[in-house]
Amino acid sequence: MRRPYPMEGLPQHVTVYEVGPRDGLQNEPATVPAEVKAEFISRLADAGHKVIEATSFVHPRWVPQLADADELLGRLDRRPGVRYPVLVPNERGLDRALAHGVAEIAVFASATETFAAKNLNRSLESQFDMFEPVVARALEAGVRVRAYVSMCFGDPWEGPTPVSQVVSVGRRLLGLGCYELSLGDTIGVATPGHVTELIEAFDATDRLAVHFHDTYGQALANTLAALQAGVTTVDASTGGIGGCPYAESATGNLATEDLVWMLHGLGIETGLDLDRLVATSTWLAGLLGRPSPSRVVQALSKG
Amino acid sequence: MRRPYPMEGLPQHVTVYEVGPRDGLQNEPATVPAEVKAEFISRLADAGHKVIEATSFVHPRWVPQLADADELLGRLDRRPGVRYPVLVPNERGLDRALAHGVAEIAVFASATETFAAKNLNRSLESQFDMFEPVVARALEAGVRVRAYVSMCFGDPWEGPTPVSQVVSVGRRLLGLGCYELSLGDTIGVATPGHVTELIEAFDATDRLAVHFHDTYGQALANTLAALQAGVTTVDASTGGIGGCPYAESATGNLATEDLVWMLHGLGIETGLDLDRLVATSTWLAGLLGRPSPSRVVQALSKG
């Protein structure tokens, strides 16, 4: 065991919000059977995860990989003390989630006009009409709601997203009653100063999480900046799965293992067992038929 | 052009010390002809590099890829204002460098006993007997000397390297007259707090450079920590080449392009043209027969 090397001004504990089973798998072309997904989630809990986003109630037409959400939730081996949020796009999705007794959901908003149109078929403004009844009914049922905000740093059509625009979208979601915002760098373009600027502009650091993609290799440096700005919840995906699986070297979400290597090196507690995470990613890479993009998984699964 | 997002406490300008032609190529199994190496170096200068480590006068038995150092230096299209240091292991190597009128050399030291034995066939203490006459004669001839210190954060045999031991090795090299130390994380295990601790322990930040490998995905986060600690020279390798080429997903040096994406995003001047760097890496990847490990190169060379 290496001794940790703490860095001034960082938190003592970080919550790793694991998105592998949902955000990671949703773009995989090979269908993963529900029982394998259930085993995946069990292995993640065995490795110490306390928050595992399990699946999504998006219409199967859009995300065929997660069409088995009902079956998966039926099979889920729920552990005490572990949260299993599910993504819910609309009231129809909420009905399905409530039928399964889900305790926590996440809604998915856009920080830009173009992505709101493409992903939600709404305008930047009218997306809130969709979220409002979902959040209200969820809270009424005692269900906690997280809000993802995508394209917080830029989108492919509009370029950099104005910080004030992200803050405006995010504040409205908090105002609806969401307990946390996950600020997403969906296309991976952010750099650390942009992260700091956005977080400081919110002035609500305790309700922010960050969600970085590693498209340009910036995810971990941006995470460091977010921790320095006071954020203590970081989204990550087992083995770095996610993103576009059709590219030869798919670069998706920040890999949980690379994040944990940094956090543990800094002496920050996560409750996670790195060896078990690497074993899970190696197992999953075998099933998906391609190596994990995580550098840590590549390094530790050799030999 | 995206507007930059500066971060407090970072330098305005960073010197990227390009090690691709030497550290990057030296482990490549496919022999790259001298004329291609010369073209590679010309392309790097075209992209704005002002320091390009050109080759090494290590014995060809150890690094067959760089056995053509004499031929390469003869072919080099030297540009005004660009430095072309070469690695020199001993007095024999220095003689060859001086014969070519080289203006700057680098020596290669170890921070650990075991790596000194394995890489230099010396003890931690006796390695200085080898460097002393090289540095003295180089300085006498008006040649600047940089010193690499490898295994500054850990080695595979001894675990973490004590900070005080690295400082002791580094100070002796500065004492011999080296103008700069390049602190190497040869096996890529460092995390940001370790970087800060080592840099602060030196109390000579203006004479330090950092040299990170991305084995565990930490290179760019560690670079951010080094910049925050005041370092302004960062080693990087075009396209991230280097490291072990026999592994399916070789992770080598910090990729110049990933570094430049971050630096430019932070509004830090480098004098480098990212598009030209990516084009050079794409060209080189074609010659080496495998994709660049750089995330930026992967992202920008698609389509």
Side-chain angles (χ1 to χ4, degrees), chain A residues 218-230:
Chain A
Q218 310 294 307
L220 202 57
N222 288 339
T223 302
L224 180 60
L227 299 177
Q228 289 176 331

Side-chain angles (χ1 to χ4, degrees), chain A residues 223-245:
Chain A
T223 302
L224 180 60
L227 299 177
Q228 289 176 331
V231 167
T232 61
T233 299
V234 180
D235 296 4
S237 172
T238 322
I241 58 169
C244 175

Side-chain angles (χ1 to χ4, degrees), chain B residues 220-241:
Chain B
L220 202 57
N222 288 339
T223 301
L224 180 61
L227 299 176
Q228 290 177 330
V231 167
T232 60
T233 299
V234 180
D235 296 5
S237 172
T238 323
I241 58 169

Side-chain angles (χ1 to χ4, degrees), chain A residues 61-192:
Chain A
R61 192 187 312 146
W62 307 122
V63 186
Q65 177 68 264
L66 304 182
D68 60 0
D70 289 295
E71 186 191 348
L72 173 65
L73 289 181
R75 286 178 178 271
L76 211 58
D77 166 31
R78 286 186 177 79
R79 311 281 174 89
V82 179
R83 295 150 55 200
Y84 300 94
V86 298
L87 197 73
V88 157
N90 49 31
E91 288 194 83
R92 169 101 184 78
L94 178 65
D95 292 336
R96 292 170 69 194
L98 293 176
H100 281 283
V102 160
E104 182 171 336
I105 64 166
V107 297
F108 197 82
S110 171
T112 73
E113 195 69 70
T114 315
F115 193 65
K118 287 182 184 278
N119 198 47
L120 306 171
N121 203 24
R122 298 271 171 156
S123 68
L124 192 59
E125 177 57 35
S126 72
Q127 64 179 332
F128 298 103
D129 302 340
M130 185 166 69
F131 303 136
E132 194 279 331
V134 174
V135 179
R137 286 185 48 211
L139 295 178
E140 226 176 78
V143 170
R144 298 219 302 171
V145 186
R146 174 185 231 229
Y148 285 99
V149 186
S150 53
M151 304 292 179
C152 287
F153 299 90
D155 86 1
W157 311 280
E158 302 179 25
T161 314
V163 165
S164 58
Q165 187 171 312
V166 183
V167 172
S168 159
V169 168
R171 286 216 178 113
R172 294 205 30 199
L173 292 162
L174 290 175
L176 293 179
C178 297
Y179 79 93
E180 179 172 86
L181 296 177
S182 171
L183 303 174
D185 184 14
T186 316
I187 56 171
V189 295
T191 42

Side-chain angles (χ1 to χ4, degrees), chain A residues 256-257 260-261 264 272-279 296 300:
Chain A
T256 306
E257 294 86 352
V260 168
W261 183 280
H264 289 187
L272 292 165
D273 179 327
L274 183 59
D275 292 337
R276 285 190 161 200
L277 292 173
V278 170
V296 168
L300 293 185

